[in-house]
């Protein structure tokens, strides 16, 4: 006996019920002692400060689809969850809380501040995890990790110490990206460049001892206070006489040399380059080559230092304005030009980044990068789609040493201690008690913490217990695939490759699937300023999680951005409702189904059963292959087409006579059995995409046991693929569709039954159709069906052709030709007037210029719709005319 479904699907209650059921029954958990083939994915750990956005929703939906599918296919599936401590972002959150109390981190002290952060993490840090559960994510929450938990902290310290011992971590002076707002160094990848319109200032540098000068061009005149040379290209004949000359630094009057270097671009500005080693990376390298001093004139807060002379204490941008004014007053500002250039901003707070000479900790990444490049080149790691390989190689080939120190308090504190007595730096696994060089005991630990990406680079193996050699590490490393967005290909993916290969001597994952961005329906990037942000939580509340998930998958075409709108999600809510209603119909017709007796029936399959069984095998194969190759959209669209059009629109309609026929109970029971099996397979195919609604229906379906989550995924049975049944069924469906189209085009009343005459010299085709007379009559609403090899065709009849079958629908008595002609004339007249009005609007330049863009676009769409409708109506009127005069 089957149970019934409610008339209307209510997602909220059902989703909560089944997620609690899955967790209570430990259905997400991997088994470290299982001998089943492992399949593992590590989640890109969201920041503990984060809230679910569209990028998270897409990324985690795709991972969940893969994990649910593999779990059903019998794999020992581990989806490792966790969160990232998000150093700068989290510290900023807690600092804002302190500011509201009139405090800052320095007034409360480091230890108390860290306690406040941990307290905040305990109270609010799990917010996004709950949202991932709302999305239906089937992570093994029993193994949830945090980048600063005890195990991962031990892994971070082991990696740092070992890299230091191997000579791959060092401390040195280098130009780093500095955020004056966050008060910390930033890695190159944490700097986001924006194209801005600024100015190029041409400044005269007087020659010492005579009246000549050299002109340099710069976008940052405030940094000239830190200039220690002016460079010219040795091949530039304009400046030969200046080689070795001495210049006077404008404003300060300090003497600086003219140097020559091939690096100087002779085409830029005036051809001469000011050299500021402490505030520009390229200048820093010039300074090393020419042994120039580095004068730091901007401090960590973006203010001018003592070296800036009378500008000391000024904000850097205030100083810029003042220097320009002073240069102009001194006659040293030759000209100012508008100039468009890239300006670096902090990825967290959007402050303009300051290049600054600083003592920092670095990882020498060249040797690590070479191994990662080789892994991709040799195919140990596949990047999908492969278009991203070129970008990966370009970046890796030009990689700079990684600045890993951050001047904040929240994070993994660098395990290095300084001995004030002798200057020794001690890097060890356990906190040292004395200096190994001089025996001093007053050791001071480094204040800085490690870049957040340092700990997350270890994620694939640290989460599995490394440096301990755990059973999980042996079983689930390397992981199967990493699903991620392209924007962290270098932040995170490349660094995981480097660390995994170095410490595990094995790649961290076999494949990297890079999905695109979620944009709005017009392809625009979602942003609050544009007002086009779609909130995943609101969408799930409004349309249900299953509809939302299926929408994301259906539009996740490889290599193309996902264009999403609420209208599209509403469309897939209709699909969820279609599945619900089809299942409700099925369960109503299985109310008296005798599952045990049906197992012994030996009734032959009907055409529609052979066809649906055959189609199921092919859809199963197509969906499996699509998921294996990360073509999520193809898998979703195959399921949509099969479920809506083939299963619901055709199969369920075709089997109704057998279901409603109580005169042949064996045939009816056989029909019930096939229906149950098809719906069971369809639910299992849909489950990875739509977990909640499928679980609800599954528990009502007779013959099912336990959760659909662990039910076997449908396997393809090649022997059930029946090309002859598909060919015959395709002919039947095409003829029925043609009859329905003729009825619609000729405005035959929906309830009216019409005679249909079929003509064909193909006796085999006619015989096939004759075998399905009952289906033709019922689904075509036919009253009188004739099969004719040849003969006179009826007059005043609408005609269609399918393959070599001519279909005639006699219209005499079905429609009033004169009234239909008048009706069409009235409708054509009305639409013509509406079309003219819209066309006039679009021809009005004032309307197009002043009306909102969406209003203009809507008017254009209206013109297109009316034009198409007008063409159809005129065509129909011509047909009516031809029928009455022919």
């Amino acid at each position: 006996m089957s149970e019934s479904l409610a008339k209307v699907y209510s997602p909220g209650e059902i989703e909560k019920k089944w997620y609690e059921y899955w967790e209570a029954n430990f259905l997400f958990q991997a088994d470290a002692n299982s001998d089943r083939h492992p399949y593992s994915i590590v989640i890109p750990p969201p920041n503990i400060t984060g809230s679910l956005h569209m990028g998270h929703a897409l990324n985690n939906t795709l991972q969940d689809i893969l994990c649910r599918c593999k779990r059903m296919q019998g794999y020992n599936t581990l989806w490792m969850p966790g969160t990232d401590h998000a150093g700068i972002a989290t510290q900023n959150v807690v600092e804002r809380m302190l500011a509201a109390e009139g405090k800052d981190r320095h007034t409360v002290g480091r230890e108390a501040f860290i306690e406040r952060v941990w307290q905040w993490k305990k109270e609010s840090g799990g917010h996004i995890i709950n949202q991932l559960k709302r999305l239906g994510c089937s992570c093994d929450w029993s193994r949830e990790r945090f980048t600063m938990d005890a195990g991962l902290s031990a892994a971070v310290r082991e990696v740092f110490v070992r890299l230091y011992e191997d000579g791959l971590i060092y401390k040195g002076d280098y130009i780093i990206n500095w955020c004056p707002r966050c008060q910390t160094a930033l890695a190159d990848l944490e700097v986001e460049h924006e194209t801005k319109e600024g100015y190029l200032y041409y400044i005269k540098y007087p020659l010492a001892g005579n009246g000549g000068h050299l002109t340099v061009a710069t976008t940052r005149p405030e940094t000239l206070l830190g200039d220690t040379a002016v460079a010219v290209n040795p091949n530039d004949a304009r400046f030969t006489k200046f080689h070795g000359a001495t210049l006077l630094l404008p404003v300060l009057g300090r003497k600086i040399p003219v140097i020559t270097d091939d690096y100087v671009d002779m085409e830029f500005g005036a051809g001469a380059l000011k050299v500021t080693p402490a505030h520009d990376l390229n200048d820093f390298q010039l300074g090393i080559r020419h042994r120039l001093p580095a004068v730091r004139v901007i401090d960590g807060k973006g203010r001018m230092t003592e070296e800036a002379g009378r500008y000391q204490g000024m904000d850097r941008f205030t100083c810029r304005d003042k220097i320009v004014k002073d240069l102009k007053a001194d006659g040293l500002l030759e000209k100012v030009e508008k100039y468009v250039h890239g300006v670096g901003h902090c990825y967290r707070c959007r402050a303009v980044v300051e290049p600054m000479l600083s003592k920092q900790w670095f990882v020498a990444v060249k040797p690590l990068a070479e191994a990662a490049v080789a892994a991709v080149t040799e195919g140990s790691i596949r990047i999908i789609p492969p278009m991203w390989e070129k970008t990966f190689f370009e970046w890796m080939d030009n990689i700079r040493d990684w600045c890993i120190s951050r001047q904040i308090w929240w994070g993994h504190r660098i395990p290095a201690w300084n001995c004030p007595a002798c200057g020794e730096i001690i890097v060890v696994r356990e906190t040292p008690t004395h200096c190994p060089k001089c025996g001093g005991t007053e050791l001071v630990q480094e204040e800085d913490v490690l870049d957040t990406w340092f700990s997350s680079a270890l994620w694939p193996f640290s989460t599995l217990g490394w440096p301990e050699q755990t059973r999980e590490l042996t079983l689930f490393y390397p992981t199967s695939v990493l699903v991620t967005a392209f924007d962290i290909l270098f932040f995170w993916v490349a660094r995981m490759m480097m660390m995994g290969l170095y410490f595990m001597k094995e790649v961290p994952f076999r494949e990297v699937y890079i999905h695109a961005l979620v944009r709005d329906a017009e392809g625009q990037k979602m942003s609050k300023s544009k007002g086009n942000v779609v909130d995943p939580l609101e969408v799930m509340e409004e349309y249900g999680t299953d509809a939302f998930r299926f929408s994301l998958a259906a539009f996740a075409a490889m290599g193309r951005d996902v264009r999403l709108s609420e209208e599209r999600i509403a469309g897939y809510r209709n699909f969820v409702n279609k599945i619900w209603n089809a299942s409700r119909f099925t369960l109503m017709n299985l109310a008296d189904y005798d599952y045990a007796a049906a197992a012994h029936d030996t009734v032959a399959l009907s055409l529609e059963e052979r066809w649906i069984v055959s189609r199921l095998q092919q859809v199963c194969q197509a969906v499996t292959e699509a998921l294996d190759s990360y073509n999520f959209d193809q898998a979703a669209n195959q399921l949509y087409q099969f479920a809506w059009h083939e299963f619901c629109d055709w199969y369920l309609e075709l089997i109704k006579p057998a279901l409603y026929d109580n005169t042949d109970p064996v045939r009816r029971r056989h029909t019930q059995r096939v229906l149950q099996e098809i719906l069971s397979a369809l639910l299992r195919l849909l489950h990875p995409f739509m977990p909640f609604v499928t679980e609800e229906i599954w528990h009502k379906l007779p013959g099912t046991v336990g959760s659909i989550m662990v039910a076997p995924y449908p396997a393809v049975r090649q022997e059930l693929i029946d090309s002859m049944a598909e060919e015959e069924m395709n002919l039947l469906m095409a003829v029925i569709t043609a009859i329905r189209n003729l009825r619609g085009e000729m405005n035959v009343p929906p309830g009216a039954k019409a005679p249909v005459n079929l003509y064909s010299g193909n006796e085999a085709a006619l015989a096939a159709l004759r075998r399905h007379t009952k289906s033709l009559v019922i689904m075509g609403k036919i009253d009188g069906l004739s099969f004719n090899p040849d003969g006179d065709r009826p007059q005043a009849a609408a005609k269609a052709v399918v393959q070599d079958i001519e279909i005639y629908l006699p219209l005499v008595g079905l429609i009033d030709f004169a009234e239909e002609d008048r009706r069409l004339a009235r409708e054509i007249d009305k639409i013509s007037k509406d079309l003219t009005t819209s066309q006039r609007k679009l021809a009005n330049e004032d309307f197009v210029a002043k009306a909102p863009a969406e209003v203009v676009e809507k008017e254009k769409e209206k013109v297109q719709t009316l034009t198409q409708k007008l063409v159809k109506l005129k065509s129909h009127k011509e047909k009516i005319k031809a029928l009455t005069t022919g």
Side-chain angles (χ1 to χ4, degrees):
M1 293 284 290
S2 68
E3 297 183 51
S4 62
L5 289 176
K7 189 171 183 180
V8 177
Y9 176 56
S10 302
E13 299 171 9
I14 287 172
E15 290 171 7
K16 184 174 184 296
K17 175 180 74 174
W18 289 120
Y19 203 90
E20 289 175 352
Y21 168 86
W22 293 329
E23 285 202 284
N25 287 277
F26 312 108
L27 296 178
F28 300 154
Q29 290 188 16
D31 184 357
N33 298 311
S34 172
D35 58 0
R36 289 178 294 136
H37 195 73
Y39 181 86
S40 58
I41 294 180
V42 291
I43 198 171
N47 292 346
I48 54 170
T49 58
S51 184
L52 194 73
H53 57 62
M54 276 297 172
H56 290 133
L58 173 64
N59 179 265
N60 287 283
T61 293
L62 300 185
Q63 290 178 82
D64 194 46
I65 288 169
L66 293 173
C67 287
R68 285 180 182 272
C69 181
K70 292 299 181 182
R71 200 178 283 118
M72 295 174 76
Q73 289 174 338
Y75 287 82
N76 185 14
T77 302
L78 170 63
W79 186 9
M80 175 64 74
T83 49
D84 190 276
H85 65 279
I88 295 174
T90 306
Q91 178 155 315
N92 283 346
V93 167
V94 179
E95 284 192 286
R96 283 196 294 271
M97 292 169 59
L98 288 174
E101 301 169 14
K103 305 173 186 174
D104 63 29
R105 63 183 166 116
H106 299 286
T107 59
V108 301
R110 184 167 192 148
E111 189 174 330
F113 178 78
I114 296 301
E115 286 179 7
R116 283 289 296 265
V117 181
W118 277 110
Q119 182 62 31
W120 176 88
K121 191 260 179 187
K122 182 180 178 182
E123 294 170 358
S124 306
H127 182 59
I128 195 165
I129 294 298
N130 293 328
Q131 293 175 333
L132 289 172
K133 291 181 178 182
R134 176 79 175 78
L135 186 65
C137 294
S138 60
C139 298
D140 186 344
W141 300 113
S142 69
R143 301 174 188 272
E144 183 182 341
R145 304 303 299 269
F146 176 53
T147 49
M148 281 186 62
D149 66 28
L152 269 69
S153 295
V156 167
R157 180 168 288 199
E158 177 64 28
V159 165
F160 186 95
V161 174
R162 202 182 297 182
L163 288 174
Y164 183 82
E165 290 172 346
D166 293 349
L168 293 174
I169 281 184
Y170 64 93
K171 190 175 188 181
D173 289 321
Y174 205 71
I175 288 287
I176 48 89
N177 306 295
W178 181 266
C179 175
R181 160 64 187 81
C182 297
Q183 289 283 290
T184 187
L186 300 173
D188 290 348
L189 292 172
E190 294 170 326
V191 178
E192 296 182 352
H193 291 273
E194 294 180 16
T195 301
K196 300 258 184 177
E197 187 177 271
Y199 295 96
L200 196 57
Y201 302 87
Y202 288 77
I203 303 169
K204 298 176 184 177
Y205 283 57
L207 279 162
N210 62 48
H213 69 271
L214 266 178
T215 299
V216 303
T218 180
T219 59
R220 306 175 68 223
E222 69 278 11
T223 63
L224 72 80
L225 302 170
D227 288 357
T228 54
V230 168
V232 296
N233 194 300
N235 301 311
D236 195 333
R238 292 175 296 175
F239 302 117
T240 304
K241 62 182 180 180
F242 293 101
H243 293 184
T246 300
L247 302 173
L248 294 176
L249 185 65
V251 181
L252 295 184
R254 189 171 69 238
K255 291 183 177 180
I256 60 174
V258 176
I259 62 173
T260 60
D261 198 286
D262 290 333
Y263 168 74
V264 180
D265 181 357
M266 293 186 286
E267 303 300 320
F268 177 77
L273 177 75
K274 63 189 284 300
V275 183
T276 320
H279 294 284
D280 183 274
L281 173 61
N282 297 313
D283 292 4
F284 174 70
Q285 292 167 341
L286 272 171
I288 292 174
R289 286 200 295 275
H290 296 273
R291 298 182 180 179
L292 298 173
V295 179
R296 186 174 167 184
V297 294
I298 302 174
D299 69 14
K301 293 183 178 180
R303 298 189 175 277
M304 307 311 289
T305 68
E306 185 179 354
E307 295 282 0
R310 65 177 184 263
Y311 304 98
Q312 181 182 357
M314 286 185 182
D315 173 78
R316 53 187 168 154
F317 298 120
T318 304
C319 178
R320 177 181 298 179
D321 295 338
K322 182 69 170 83
I323 279 189
V324 169
K325 189 180 292 185
D326 291 347
L327 288 169
K328 193 172 184 180
D330 292 345
L332 297 177
L333 188 63
E334 190 172 286
K335 62 178 178 177
V336 179
E337 295 177 344
K338 285 188 176 180
Y339 185 67
V340 176
H341 61 130
V343 178
H345 291 73
C346 172
Y347 79 118
R348 284 292 179 200
C349 72
R350 309 308 303 157
V352 174
V353 167
E354 189 65 45
M356 191 174 294
L357 185 63
S358 176
K359 195 170 284 294
Q360 300 286 340
W361 289 88
F362 294 88
V363 175
V365 293
K366 279 285 184 185
L368 305 178
E370 287 168 1
V373 167
V376 176
T377 303
E378 295 163 6
S380 301
I381 297 175
R382 290 178 62 225
I383 297 178
I384 305 162
M387 58 183 260
W388 288 108
E389 285 188 6
K390 182 182 177 185
T391 309
F392 172 80
F393 290 137
E394 285 175 355
W395 187 79
M396 295 294 275
D397 290 342
N398 295 287
I399 196 169
R400 285 206 293 150
D401 285 357
W402 176 14
C403 176
I404 55 171
S405 45
R406 297 291 180 270
Q407 289 66 48
I408 58 175
W409 288 353
W410 173 243
H412 294 280
R413 195 166 176 179
I414 291 177
W417 287 260
N418 298 287
C419 177
C422 69
E424 181 75 358
I425 295 178
I426 305 142
V427 175
V428 286
R429 291 166 178 80
E430 302 295 332
T431 302
T433 56
H434 64 279
C435 174
K437 186 175 180 182
C438 72
T441 57
E442 301 296 321
L443 304 181
V444 180
Q445 187 175 359
E446 280 279 344
E447 292 288 324
D448 293 353
V449 302
L450 288 165
D451 175 14
T452 299
W453 296 104
F454 189 90
S455 51
S456 57
L458 320 181
W459 191 249
F461 55 93
S462 63
T463 52
L464 296 172
W466 189 92
E468 300 297 323
Q469 294 303 307
T470 62
R471 167 67 178 160
E472 284 84 355
L473 194 63
T474 303
L475 190 62
F476 294 113
Y477 189 95
T479 60
S480 306
V481 62
L482 180 77
V483 179
T484 186
F486 67 83
D487 55 346
I488 54 174
L489 180 57
F490 310 119
F491 272 114
W492 188 46
V493 180
R495 288 168 176 167
M496 283 191 288
M497 291 183 191
M498 291 189 277
M499 293 299 191
L501 286 161
Y502 194 78
F503 288 96
M504 297 296 297
K505 308 305 177 190
E506 177 63 282
V507 296
F509 24 73
R510 300 296 185 192
E511 296 176 323
V512 179
Y513 174 67
I514 299 174
H515 60 75
L517 296 175
V518 182
R519 297 182 180 270
D520 68 13
E522 280 69 49
Q524 298 293 312
K525 187 174 181 180
M526 290 187 183
S527 69
K528 290 180 181 177
S529 61
K530 291 179 183 176
N532 64 345
V533 173
V534 180
D535 186 330
L537 297 166
E538 291 179 5
V539 167
M540 288 187 282
E541 191 67 33
E542 176 73 19
Y543 301 103
T545 301
D546 289 322
F548 178 50
R549 286 170 57 113
F550 201 88
S551 302
L552 290 170
F555 289 106
M558 188 177 292
R560 292 208 306 271
D561 288 337
V562 175
R563 294 191 174 196
L564 198 66
S565 68
E566 290 203 33
E567 290 78 9
R568 287 172 172 172
I569 299 166
Y572 284 110
R573 178 183 58 185
N574 295 339
F575 179 53
V576 174
N577 289 336
K578 185 82 169 179
I579 298 298
W580 181 263
N581 291 332
S583 299
R584 188 167 179 268
F585 167 83
T586 298
L587 293 171
M588 288 169 60
N589 283 282
L590 294 179
D592 60 347
Y593 176 47
D594 188 337
Y595 185 79
H600 302 289
D601 290 340
T602 57
V603 180
L605 295 176
S606 64
L607 172 66
E608 55 267 23
E609 289 169 342
R610 287 164 53 212
W611 166 74
I612 198 69
V613 167
S614 180
R615 287 295 303 131
L616 176 66
Q617 308 314 308
Q618 297 192 59
V619 169
C620 177
Q621 183 168 327
V623 170
T624 304
E625 289 174 356
L627 290 181
D628 285 346
S629 57
Y630 310 107
N631 288 297
F632 295 93
D633 62 318
Q634 293 178 20
N637 292 326
Q638 284 277 348
L639 287 169
Y640 182 92
Q641 170 69 25
F642 177 75
W644 189 302
H645 298 295
E646 296 175 301
F647 178 74
C648 295
D649 289 353
W650 288 102
Y651 173 66
L652 291 184
E653 293 300 319
L654 287 165
I655 65 171
K656 280 180 179 179
L659 287 174
Y660 298 161
D661 184 3
N662 292 315
T663 63
D664 189 347
V666 176
R667 164 56 69 179
R668 183 170 179 273
R669 187 170 61 216
H670 162 82
T671 304
Q672 289 175 314
R673 179 175 66 82
V674 177
L675 172 58
Q676 188 274 346
E677 290 174 355
I678 296 296
L679 180 58
S680 167
L682 177 57
L683 292 173
R684 283 176 282 144
L685 287 170
L686 284 167
H687 175 74
F689 297 83
M690 298 160 48
F692 295 106
V693 69
T694 53
E695 186 76 84
E696 176 72 10
I697 298 166
W698 179 260
H699 284 265
K700 309 284 188 183
L701 194 64
T704 58
V705 179
S707 171
I708 194 172
M709 259 192 68
V710 290
Y713 195 75
V716 181
R717 292 177 59 187
Q718 294 291 337
E719 74 275 11
L720 295 179
I721 296 177
D722 189 334
S723 59
M724 292 182 66
E726 290 192 39
E727 185 179 338
E728 188 167 327
M729 188 67 194
N730 287 339
L731 176 63
L732 177 62
M733 291 189 295
V735 170
I736 293 172
T737 300
I739 294 168
R740 288 172 171 176
N741 289 342
L742 287 177
R743 292 176 61 98
E745 288 171 7
M746 305 314 297
N747 207 30
V748 174
K753 290 190 175 182
V756 170
N757 302 333
L758 304 180
Y759 295 85
S760 179
N762 185 339
E763 181 53 40
L766 282 181
L769 292 171
R770 194 178 285 111
R771 285 195 294 272
H772 308 294
T773 298
K774 191 173 183 180
S775 296
L776 281 165
V777 167
I778 293 172
M779 299 190 73
K781 294 183 180 179
I782 297 171
D783 181 17
L785 176 63
S786 68
F787 301 88
N788 310 285
D790 205 353
D792 295 333
R793 276 46 170 179
Q795 297 298 309
K799 176 188 175 183
V801 177
V802 171
Q803 297 177 22
D804 49 6
I805 308 287
E806 293 178 39
I807 304 165
Y808 283 84
L809 178 68
L811 296 169
V812 176
L814 279 176
I815 62 172
D816 183 328
F817 290 98
E819 178 55 35
E820 181 65 8
D821 186 66
R822 287 191 292 271
R823 183 190 71 80
L824 289 168
R826 289 194 299 270
E827 197 165 349
I828 287 169
D829 183 59
K830 180 183 181 303
I831 288 178
S832 297
K833 288 176 181 177
D834 291 345
L835 180 59
T836 301
T837 301
S838 290
Q839 287 171 333
R840 281 175 182 164
K841 272 189 184 180
L842 293 174
N844 184 335
E845 293 181 5
D846 202 40
F847 168 76
V848 174
K850 293 181 179 178
E854 60 269 22
V855 172
V856 175
E857 190 59 35
K858 195 171 182 180
E859 204 64 41
K860 288 179 180 177
E861 290 174 3
K862 185 178 178 182
V863 166
Q864 187 177 3
T865 302
L866 290 172
T867 301
Q868 291 171 349
K869 194 168 184 180
L870 194 61
V871 169
K872 287 182 179 178
L873 287 170
K874 286 180 177 179
S875 173
H876 182 36
K877 195 170 187 301
E878 286 298 317
K879 287 178 183 177
I880 293 292
K881 182 180 177 182
L883 288 170
T884 55
T885 59

